[in-house]
Amino acid sequence: MTMLQLAQITLLVYAGLLLVGGIIGYTKAKSKVSLASGIGSALLALGGYGLSLVHPAWGIGLAGGVALGLTSIFLMRLRKTGKLMPAGMMFGLSLAMTGWISYVMAHLAGL
């Protein structure tokens, strides 16, 4: 398995977790914002996956932008609420994904 294939699989898992997180936010707190954000973020991540099949750097880059944006959003929420669930967990997940995608992008660039 190549690094690109591993990154693509990881991206699918991340998209799934974003979707599940949005659904859980809706079912537990009746938060339509969580549901819409989860669906939207998952669709963007899936878009990155799809694009990576044709143009790897662009697709993985899009996914990195999504992960970086979510890292920022969940860090702000964590600071505001101080709660590890869900803000802290999603911050950690998105931060890890941002780091992984940065590593993959460096690999794709030959660095």
Side-chain angles (χ1 to χ4, degrees):
M1 179 179 298
T2 67
M3 182 172 292
L4 176 60
Q5 291 169 329
L6 184 58
Q8 290 168 331
I9 291 168
T10 306
L11 186 51
L12 288 174
V13 171
Y14 183 59
L17 291 172
L18 293 172
L19 179 61
V20 168
I23 292 169
I24 289 172
Y26 179 73
T27 57
K28 288 197 176 236
K30 301 296 182 216
S31 172
K32 292 179 182 177
V33 172
S34 290
L35 181 61
S37 298
I39 291 170
S41 298
L43 287 174
L44 284 171
L46 286 174
Y49 166 78
L51 186 57
S52 76
L53 298 173
V54 179
H55 197 297
W58 283 91
I60 299 298
L62 171 61
V66 171
L68 181 61
L70 290 174
T71 298
S72 300
I73 289 168
F74 285 114
L75 177 59
M76 288 187 292
R77 288 188 185 163
L78 178 60
R79 285 182 175 173
K80 182 178 179 181
T81 66
K83 295 182 180 179
L84 290 179
M85 288 298 289
M89 181 188 69
M90 291 305 295
F91 165 71
L93 177 64
S94 295
L95 181 62
M97 193 66 180
T98 299
W100 167 240
I101 289 174
S102 297
Y103 178 76
V104 171
M105 288 296 290
H107 177 77
L108 289 175
L111 300 176

